[in-house]
Amino acid sequence: MTNTETQQKQNISFEDFKNEVLKDYKIARVSRECSLLGRREVLTGKAKFGIFGDGKEVPQLALAKAFKNGDFRSGYYRDQTFMMAIDELTPQQFFSGLYAHTDIEVEPMSAGRQMGGHFATHSLHEDGSWKNLTKQKNSSSDISPTAAQMPRLLGLAQASKIFRNVPVLRNHTQFSDNGNEVAWGTIGNASTSEGVFFETINAAGVLQVPMIMSVWDDDYGISVHAKHQTTKESISEILKGFQRDENHDGYEILVVNGWDYVQLIEVYQKASEIARTTHVPVLIHVKELTQPQGHSTSGSHERYKSVDRLKWEKDFDCIAKMRAWILDFELETEDGTVLRFVDTEETLILIDKEAKKEVNNAKRAAWNAYLNEIKGELNTAVNLLESAAQKSSNKTFITKYKIDLSEIVEPNRKDILVALRKSVRFLKDENFSEKTALQQFITTYSKRIQQKYSSHLTSETEKSVLNIHPEKPRYKEEKKLVDARIIMRDNFDVLLKKHPELLIFGEDSGFIGDVNQGLEGLQKKYGELRVADTGIREATIIGQGIGMAMRGLRPIAEIQYLDYLIYALQILSDDLATLLYRTFGRQKAPVIIRTRGHRLEGIWHAGSPMGGIINNVRGIHVLVPRNMTKAAGFYNTLLEGDEPAIVIECLNGYRLKEEMPVNLGSYKTPIGVIETIKQGDDLTVISYGSTLRIVEEAARDLAQVDIHIEIIDAQSLLPFDIHHETVKSIAKTNRLLVVDEDLPGGASAYLLQEILENQNGYQYLDSKPATLTSKAHRPAYGTDGDYFSKPSAEDVFEKVYEMMHEVNPLKYKSLF
Ligand SMILES: Cc1ncc(C[n+]2csc(CCOP(=O)(O)OP(=O)(O)O)c2C)c(N)n1
Ligand SMILES: [Mg+2]
């Protein structure tokens, strides 16, 4: 190559570099303008709340450069610049989110369900089928609780390890390219104080998974300074013990200033290389960041930052620093030419202006799109009110609502429905077609808009568990009774063979095959990655499940005992239960949580905190099989479907004898369907799980005194009895008793509401409906502690007898 050729080549690559730098600068400016204008939109009342990414722009540009197709982000509300830099968020979409536009095409993050600043990409097509995740940049959907993005991040990273190292998954190319994907976490400095942050950091170090954790450090968490948050005020300092060395696996820990564009790019490329090729986790502590507008629109940071600090934040604003670097940049070539990004400041001023204009236009377009849709609906409503008013004797009242409505400049749908629903009351004694038109509009309009807010709590696809065909267990003619845990184990064996994506992990689940031997020998057969032991860390066990399920795997995450689910309840409730809902069906995590409970003895072994669970996890199915055959059948059903569920096995059932089915792995217990396990005419007792055996024992004793109860196994609490079969039993017996070992007012109250209110069971009752539960305290330890804390067969007998005594005191004479 001649000198001039070399020179030309250098010029071209410099030209590329320059363009990239200026493009990045533009993205940063656009993002900043969004933050500035966004705040104004909230303060003028167009949007409800704003939390923005100003002051964190530059490191996100560097992150975006290292982020490849197939990678996943799990982050928090500051990451708008990153989303813009990977082309997954336009300024118009940013504002549509702020206004809560309910169209998923217009507001792709959540169809208006989440407040702005909560980002997501679409892993699923509209019909719920997977997209090719390796061909796009992926962002798991953000949630607001601080650090709650951490547990799932672990699973997102672990999926790469599984895809790389489990040979049966080699052809799952729409989810992974040989495990080369990195999971990128972001978190604020203060949120690292949360327990799940440390739990996740430790677990990722143990598992050695490609997770790169960025901490955006602006020294504050709202008004609270780092000195109250973090020992030594530095997360990288205190995590030093995690640094890998020649003798130990661990982390690579990198520290960089958030305003140093060049250093940031270098650090992010290095981190990406390490995690991607060797699956070593990396922590990047990004320091010296700022919050130009304070934490959120809820307050101003002048209240708690010193004058010096505020000045420092101005001087070290990462975009200002980047801008200065661009202006100062000079590169002398071999022939002495000096290359610059810009000759004068004019170029940057022009970019600043363009950014402002673009964002302004985007804001306007988003607002108009949002408002015009509602205004169209408002016009229809106004016309309907006008027509009805003309015919009505209450014309003045209705006209008033009409005028008030039509004068609202920036209406909500609430305004429309309030006017319509209040007006229709004035028409109750009248009859004309305009009234009918108004009524019909209210019904169809409410229904249509309601869907925008209430769809996708559970799957609406053909793979919804409600659409899976049940199949009965079949048996050999010659009865073969085995310990029930053998049925569970052999069924899992078939499932692991049948579903290469299936993984099972938890405390003691691997080497010994779970504490009750339901996985005995399966690690040996399927390897340490597919049947695995984990540390004692319930929240991140669930996080592993969520993250891996989001990447196309089918994890069964074991929580050793039901009482310890509470450690993970926050993640189940905030993350898993809301995932499908908050993404309007564009992300899913069909993780199955396997656990065991009921009939435990002890304060922290209460065994059945069901009310607490079902109240917190709407969006996740909750299944309570009474034996192992039923439980295994639930796993078989769930693996055909696309939804998350918690399956609670009966802890005292593993050694009981059950008959071994021949169609293991394929028979399916239906979900949302009750089973009547004993017929009777006098009184219906509904229960679930282990208490059913107590009820059955009581039933035998009751038969001796000529009381014949019908026993229903609820089997599935969420959803409960979708075909409304229970009420048919009440119609026959006219009496209802709900038995469980939860606290009073727990799951028994839920069942009462379902049966009496939703199924209209109240109309058939001849006796007061009753519940029999444990005492309000947790169970005391030991046989007598249990007997005096939880319902016994005697309690069931006496409760039923008492109800029958009230009906017929002569026949059923008082016992005491
Ligand atoms: C579990 C939980 N507690 C409290 C909050 C309220 N909250 C929202 S953001 C925040 C401060 C977070 O600070 P930091 O992690 O440093 O992030 P920054 O906003 O500074 O980027 C708090 C306390 C929350 N969202 N979730
Ligand atoms: Mg902070």
Side-chain angles (χ1 to χ4, degrees):
M1 237 189 276
T2 65
N3 267 354
T4 26
E5 274 173 335
T6 314
Q7 191 64 49
Q8 269 174 356
K9 226 176 152 201
Q10 276 180 357
N11 283 350
I12 289 169
S13 62
F14 180 76
E15 201 55 26
D16 285 348
F17 181 39
K18 179 180 111 178
N19 288 338
E20 195 169 326
V21 169
L22 293 181
K23 188 175 162 223
D24 274 355
Y25 177 74
K26 171 88 180 280
I27 294 170
R29 286 293 338 161
V30 165
S31 173
R32 178 64 61 90
E33 288 301 331
C34 284
S35 302
L36 299 174
L37 254 191
R39 185 175 175 89
R40 281 231 312 265
E41 291 304 275
V42 176
L43 300 184
T44 58
K46 283 203 171 90
K48 278 256 153 149
F49 175 74
I51 190 152
F52 306 114
D54 48 313
K56 316 279 189 301
E57 292 91 346
V58 176
Q60 294 178 28
L61 298 169
L63 197 169
K65 277 188 209 308
F67 198 95
K68 298 207 164 124
N69 280 354
D71 285 3
F72 261 87
R73 164 189 169 277
S74 182
Y76 80 118
Y77 50 79
R78 299 285 182 214
D79 293 345
Q80 70 198 46
T81 315
F82 167 78
M83 293 299 288
M84 289 175 181
I86 62 162
D87 278 332
E88 288 294 338
L89 179 71
T90 66
Q92 185 167 337
Q93 289 166 343
F94 171 91
F95 285 101
S96 298
L98 208 56
Y99 303 138
H101 198 130
T102 50
D103 184 338
I104 188 75
E105 302 302 328
V106 179
E107 200 288 270
M109 303 299 133
S110 74
R113 289 178 176 188
Q114 290 226 64
M115 51 177 65
H118 291 66
F119 306 109
T121 52
H122 294 185
S123 303
L124 306 174
H125 297 288
E126 196 179 344
D127 66 2
S129 60
W130 287 106
K131 291 180 158 187
N132 186 328
L133 301 184
T134 64
K135 296 264 189 298
Q136 61 181 36
K137 298 191 165 70
N138 303 286
S139 178
S140 63
S141 161
D142 294 347
I143 61 178
S144 301
T146 46
Q149 68 272 34
M150 296 298 299
R152 113 174 71 95
L153 174 64
L154 179 67
L156 291 169
Q158 194 189 4
S160 290
K161 182 161 189 149
I162 300 289
F163 281 119
R164 186 177 286 180
N165 297 302
V166 174
V168 284
L169 293 168
R170 279 285 141 73
N171 59 355
H172 284 52
T173 50
Q174 79 185 111
F175 298 117
S176 178
D177 172 16
N178 193 35
N180 290 333
E181 303 77 22
V182 169
W184 301 82
T186 68
I187 193 166
N189 57 297
S191 301
T192 65
S193 310
E194 295 280 10
V196 279
F197 174 79
F198 288 96
E199 187 178 316
T200 306
I201 292 291
N202 176 53
V206 169
L207 289 170
Q208 289 291 291
V209 289
M211 172 179 118
I212 301 179
M213 188 68 233
S214 296
V215 180
W216 304 148
D217 190 349
D218 57 14
D219 279 335
Y220 282 86
I222 313 186
S223 67
V224 181
H225 188 261
K227 68 178 180 229
H228 301 295
Q229 301 280 2
T230 309
T231 309
K232 300 184 180 181
E233 298 182 31
S234 168
I235 195 67
S236 52
E237 272 300 311
I238 58 171
L239 291 183
K240 269 186 177 159
F242 284 83
Q243 173 68 46
R244 60 179 171 157
D245 58 36
E246 304 89 71
N247 302 321
H248 302 96
D249 285 341
Y251 272 74
E252 191 60 35
I253 298 180
L254 306 167
V255 182
V256 61
N257 286 328
W259 43 263
D260 191 337
Y261 178 70
V262 178
Q263 272 296 312
L264 282 162
I265 292 176
E266 207 168 285
V267 162
Y268 273 88
Q269 293 301 324
K270 181 176 170 188
S272 167
E273 175 67 20
I274 293 170
R276 213 175 287 284
T277 53
T278 62
H279 282 184
V280 168
V282 183
L283 177 99
I284 308 178
H285 184 187
V286 183
K287 304 213 287 203
E288 301 205 355
L289 288 167
T290 68
Q291 280 180 8
Q293 304 188 102
H295 175 76
S296 73
T297 51
S298 306
S300 84
H301 58 157
E302 285 81 10
R303 281 183 302 163
Y304 50 82
K305 284 180 187 161
S306 69
V307 174
D308 284 353
R309 171 74 197 189
L310 289 166
K311 176 167 183 324
W312 179 87
E313 290 209 6
K314 266 210 162 70
D315 296 343
F316 281 78
D317 181 308
C318 60
I319 301 184
K321 283 282 209 187
M322 183 184 182
R323 197 175 195 276
W325 171 76
I326 294 173
L327 276 172
D328 291 347
F329 186 90
E330 286 183 349
L331 181 73
E332 198 175 326
T333 62
E334 279 172 11
D335 67 355
T337 327
V338 176
L339 299 173
R340 293 192 175 86
F341 293 138
V342 291
D343 292 328
T344 66
E345 201 182 354
E346 273 314 300
T347 314
L348 295 182
I349 293 175
L350 204 68
I351 294 178
D352 295 345
K353 278 190 181 150
E354 270 173 26
K356 218 183 198 104
K357 197 165 146 201
E358 265 178 49
V359 171
N360 238 312
N361 290 342
K363 181 209 79 171
R364 204 165 303 127
W367 178 249
N368 289 338
Y370 165 78
L371 198 64
N372 288 344
E373 206 175 300
I374 300 181
K375 276 197 163 159
E377 294 158 16
L378 181 140
N379 286 340
T380 312
V382 166
N383 290 339
L384 286 164
L385 286 174
E386 168 69 24
S387 311
Q390 290 308 330
K391 290 271 177 74
S392 172
S393 54
N394 284 320
K395 183 176 173 182
T396 32
F397 299 105
I398 299 171
T399 305
K400 167 104 176 61
Y401 279 118
K402 185 206 82 178
I403 291 170
D404 287 352
L405 181 62
S406 62
E407 283 175 353
I408 299 175
V409 184
E410 290 165 1
N412 288 304
R413 290 183 162 117
K414 176 181 172 184
D415 298 317
I416 300 173
L417 277 167
V418 168
L420 292 174
R421 292 166 79 179
K422 288 199 165 172
S423 296
V424 86
R425 296 176 198 166
F426 289 101
L427 298 169
K428 66 180 174 32
D429 300 323
E430 302 182 305
N431 243 334
F432 41 81
S433 64
E434 289 78 0
K435 173 188 170 182
T436 318
L438 187 67
Q439 288 170 321
Q440 276 170 358
F441 180 78
I442 294 174
T443 312
T444 52
Y445 181 63
S446 305
K447 202 167 158 199
R448 182 167 73 80
I449 305 302
Q450 189 68 56
Q451 270 301 94
K452 289 175 178 286
Y453 294 99
S454 297
S455 71
H456 298 100
L457 177 60
T458 54
S459 173
E460 294 171 10
T461 74
E462 61 188 23
K463 291 193 145 203
S464 152
V465 294
L466 303 183
N467 294 332
I468 309 297
H469 277 295
E471 182 184 321
K472 289 216 160 82
R474 283 185 280 106
Y475 298 98
K476 283 202 179 119
E477 241 164 64
E478 196 183 321
K479 211 171 180 174
K480 185 182 167 197
L481 286 177
V482 294
D483 279 358
R485 61 119 193 155
I486 304 282
I487 295 175
M488 195 60 88
R489 180 195 69 187
D490 291 359
N491 193 72
F492 278 133
D493 189 1
V494 177
L495 289 177
L496 282 158
K497 217 173 293 158
K498 191 169 162 187
H499 301 278
E501 316 82 24
L502 176 59
L503 317 149
I504 310 179
F505 48 88
E507 296 154 18
D508 301 291
S509 306
F511 187 68
I512 64 164
D514 93 40
V515 280
N516 297 94
Q517 300 272 278
L519 299 165
E520 184 194 17
L522 298 182
Q523 182 180 71
K524 205 156 181 210
K525 200 161 170 187
Y526 295 97
E528 286 183 15
L529 287 172
R530 291 191 69 198
V531 182
D533 283 319
T534 67
I536 306 173
R537 44 174 184 74
E538 287 75 13
T540 47
I541 289 173
I542 297 302
Q544 281 175 265
I546 298 173
M548 290 201 276
M550 291 178 91
R551 290 192 59 190
L553 295 168
R554 291 307 309 260
I556 295 183
E558 258 203 47
I559 297 297
Q560 195 160 68
Y561 298 107
L562 181 61
D563 287 70
Y564 307 129
L565 190 75
I566 294 177
Y567 270 64
L569 198 54
Q570 182 264 325
I571 284 303
L572 289 166
S573 181
D574 289 333
D575 195 3
L576 184 58
T578 64
L579 180 66
L580 193 76
Y581 176 79
R582 72 181 192 262
T583 60
F584 202 75
R586 296 308 194 270
Q587 288 185 12
K588 68 174 174 181
V591 50
I592 298 167
I593 292 101
R594 175 185 189 217
T595 186
R596 49 191 72 84
H598 311 313
R599 299 318 291 180
L600 283 164
E601 295 171 12
I603 294 174
W604 297 277
H605 300 80
S608 212
M610 300 312 304
I613 293 168
I614 58 174
N615 285 335
N616 278 296
V617 304
R618 300 295 163 110
I620 303 174
H621 299 312
V622 177
L623 309 172
V624 280
R626 70 178 180 275
N627 59 34
M628 299 307 147
T629 308
K630 290 269 171 188
F634 276 138
Y635 296 118
N636 299 341
T637 307
L638 289 165
L639 283 167
E640 301 290 324
D642 66 355
E643 298 185 82
I646 301 171
V647 181
I648 297 153
E649 297 165 14
C650 295
L651 185 58
N652 61 0
Y654 295 107
R655 305 272 160 196
L656 299 177
K657 299 288 180 205
E658 289 182 39
E659 194 176 351
M660 176 66 100
V662 289
N663 50 346
L664 289 173
S666 70
Y667 74 87
K668 294 176 200 70
T669 313
I671 288 172
V673 177
I674 58 152
E675 187 179 338
T676 303
I677 54 178
K678 182 190 162 300
Q679 305 274 342
D681 292 322
D682 293 327
L683 189 148
T684 301
V685 179
I686 185 163
S687 190
Y688 56 88
S690 293
T691 39
L692 279 166
R693 268 199 299 282
I694 288 162
V695 174
E696 283 178 304
E697 187 189 332
R700 285 189 289 273
D701 293 347
L702 285 161
Q704 312 268 317
V705 292
D706 199 26
I707 296 175
H708 304 280
I709 61 172
E710 182 139 309
I711 305 177
I712 294 177
D713 179 5
Q715 298 194 94
S716 162
L717 293 179
L718 293 177
F720 170 70
D721 190 10
I722 54 172
H723 303 305
H724 289 195
E725 296 289 337
T726 311
V727 72
K728 293 181 188 161
S729 171
I730 315 295
K732 180 173 77 172
T733 65
N734 310 113
R735 271 170 270 283
L736 171 65
L737 172 66
V738 184
V739 177
D740 75 0
E741 54 179 301
D742 191 8
L743 305 174
S748 59
Y750 161 76
L751 288 171
L752 270 190
Q753 190 238 350
E754 284 283 332
I755 299 162
L756 300 186
E757 184 178 307
N758 291 356
Q759 299 192 11
N760 286 318
Y762 74 95
Q763 61 190 322
Y764 302 109
L765 290 179
D766 291 339
S767 298
K768 186 175 85 171
T771 61
L772 180 64
T773 67
S774 80
K775 298 287 181 290
H777 53 78
R778 295 205 192 174
Y781 168 68
T783 303
D784 286 346
D786 173 71
Y787 193 74
F788 283 92
S789 301
K790 289 193 170 183
S792 62
E794 291 69 47
D795 293 332
V796 176
F797 180 98
E798 286 165 16
K799 185 80 190 175
V800 171
Y801 190 88
E802 182 190 306
M803 289 169 80
M804 296 310 293
H805 164 75
E806 191 199 55
V807 178
N808 189 346
L810 288 179
K811 181 166 179 196
Y812 306 111
K813 297 211 177 61
S814 192
L815 286 179
F816 299 103

